[in-house]
């Protein structure tokens, strides 16, 4: 078609949205080129996630390891803000989708985003090693920069609730097992453990790897970019959010807030005072 020829309405409509993810018309659904009926019953949910995000089907072992990471982070109880919000929303009479959306919307940099930050941190170290640095030197240099220039908590280490996050050692153990079988390289596990060891040396105490740091190891081993790890965490935690929202919706509680009714917040504002012009 020349630049002077006008496109038909159908052509303009087809170009309104462009996607390499799905082809669909009456009687046909293809995901990344695969017929949906060929995928159903033959591809696991983790493998489907991989296909949609990466464009190709993973090996069974890659899908298995992805599923392990997703399964590890599904829930952390009502003390986690996202879970608490899902339960509170459910007591307000909203639908389960509204409760889930309310919860998912608080998964940000502080709650839910540490995995992305951890994998970015690991990636900086991996890049330095690729440029010729030893792992120890790369870790030391990146930590120097973090403590000198950046604020907040070192991503992937420590937990406000658990002295040792029980999920992290198991995830690293499984990553090592998959590395021994040649499914992944083990490189990001090496980086995470080197960070943990160097921080322990500097601080004089161990600050153990947490769930965010451990799942970041797996996502890095599997080749996911850091930005996608947050979305993967949302997929994972959505399972717990759904379960809590559903459980709470079966209870009789109404308008359940963050604190029991007999516990009130601390007021720190101006003391009681008369309205201007009223007699004192």
């Amino acid at each position: 078609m020349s630049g002077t020829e006008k496109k038909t309405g159908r052509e303009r409509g087809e170009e309104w949205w462009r996607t390499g993810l799905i082809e669909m018309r009456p009687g046909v659904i293809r995901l990344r080129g695969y017929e949906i009926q060929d995928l159903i019953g033959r591809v696991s949910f983790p493998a489907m996630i991989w296909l949609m995000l990466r464009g190709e089907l993973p090996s069974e072992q890659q899908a298995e390891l992805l599923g392990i990471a997703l399964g590890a982070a599904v829930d952390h109880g009502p003390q986690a803000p996202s879970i608490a919000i899902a339960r509170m929303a459910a007591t307000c009479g909203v639908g389960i989708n509204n409760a889930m959306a309310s919860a998912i919307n608080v998964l940000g940099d502080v709650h839910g985003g540490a995995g992305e930050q951890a994998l970015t941190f690991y990636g900086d170290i991996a890049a330095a090693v690729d440029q010729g640095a030893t792992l120890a030197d790369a870790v030391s240099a990146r930590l120097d920069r973090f403590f000198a220039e950046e604020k907040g908590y070192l991503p992937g280490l420590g937990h406000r609730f658990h002295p040792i996050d029980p999920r992290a050692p198991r995830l690293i153990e499984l990553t090592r097992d998959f590395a021994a079988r040649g499914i992944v390289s083990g490189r990001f596990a090496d980086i995470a453990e080197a960070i943990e060891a160097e921080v322990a040396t500097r601080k004089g105490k161990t600050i153990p790897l947490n769930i965010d740091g451990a799942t970041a190891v797996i996502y890095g081993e599997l080749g996911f970019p850091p930005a996608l790890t947050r979305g993967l965490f949302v997929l994972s935690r959505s399972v717990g959010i759904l379960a809590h929202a559903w459980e709470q919706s079966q209870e009789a509680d109404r308008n359940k807030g963050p604190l029991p009714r007999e516990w009130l917040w601390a007021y720190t504002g101006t003391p009681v005072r008369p309205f201007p012009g009223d007699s004192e």
Side-chain angles (χ1 to χ4, degrees):
M1 176 183 294
S2 70
T4 58
E5 292 180 302
K6 292 184 177 180
K7 295 181 179 180
T8 67
R10 178 175 178 176
E11 288 170 331
R12 291 198 303 272
E14 288 174 344
E15 292 183 359
W16 186 259
W17 293 115
R18 294 187 180 192
T19 177
L21 298 174
I22 182 170
E23 181 184 0
M24 194 273 290
R25 59 180 183 272
V28 174
I29 301 173
R30 296 192 185 102
L31 301 178
R32 296 286 197 174
Y34 290 104
E35 302 282 0
I36 188 64
Q37 61 268 29
D38 292 338
L39 297 171
I40 294 173
R42 299 165 74 182
V43 173
S44 68
F45 187 48
M48 187 67 81
I49 293 170
W50 185 297
L51 173 64
M52 292 299 287
L53 293 178
R54 307 278 287 272
E56 299 294 339
L57 286 168
S59 69
E60 290 184 9
Q61 294 85 0
Q62 288 171 325
E64 181 184 0
L65 186 54
L66 176 58
I68 287 169
L70 292 169
V74 295
D75 193 12
H76 199 238
Q79 57 82 36
S82 55
I83 301 296
I85 287 169
R87 298 193 74 110
M88 286 189 289
T91 70
C92 297
V94 301
I96 202 162
N97 59 308
N98 304 100
M100 291 184 70
S102 297
I104 289 168
N105 277 335
V106 301
L107 295 176
D109 288 342
V110 175
H111 176 36
E116 177 182 353
Q117 297 154 15
L119 185 51
T120 299
F121 199 91
Y122 300 163
D124 292 343
I125 293 168
V129 171
D130 289 342
Q131 293 169 7
T134 65
L135 176 57
D137 287 345
V139 167
S140 182
R142 185 64 184 88
L143 286 173
D144 286 344
R145 192 162 80 251
F146 178 83
F147 291 123
E149 303 173 4
E150 301 173 43
K151 304 296 183 183
Y153 297 97
L154 188 65
L157 295 183
H159 201 286
R160 64 189 180 91
F161 190 83
H162 303 290
I164 297 177
D165 189 329
R167 301 163 292 188
R170 177 60 174 159
L171 289 173
I172 297 301
E173 177 188 6
L174 287 167
T175 302
R176 293 295 188 191
D177 176 62
F178 277 74
R181 290 186 277 137
I183 310 305
V184 294
S185 70
R187 183 187 200 193
F188 285 90
D190 291 341
I191 290 172
E193 290 187 334
I195 293 170
E196 186 181 60
E198 177 65 15
V199 170
T201 298
R202 295 186 183 208
K203 298 287 188 181
K205 63 177 182 179
T206 298
I207 303 177
L209 203 66
N210 59 30
I211 182 66
D212 300 305
T215 51
V217 164
I218 291 178
Y219 296 142
E221 295 283 353
L222 292 174
F224 286 93
L228 275 181
T229 64
R230 187 178 307 209
L232 291 169
F233 177 80
V234 170
L235 288 177
S236 174
R237 186 51 59 87
S238 291
V239 177
I241 288 169
L242 171 60
H244 279 273
W246 174 248
E247 181 182 62
Q248 188 64 56
S249 71
Q250 308 306 299
E251 303 293 333
D253 299 309
R254 292 167 57 87
N255 292 327
K256 192 170 184 178
L259 291 172
R261 283 178 294 180
E262 62 272 19
W263 290 5
L264 297 179
W265 55 92
Y267 175 67
T268 59
T270 304
V272 63
R273 53 184 169 172
F275 188 79
D278 287 356
S279 59
E280 299 185 9

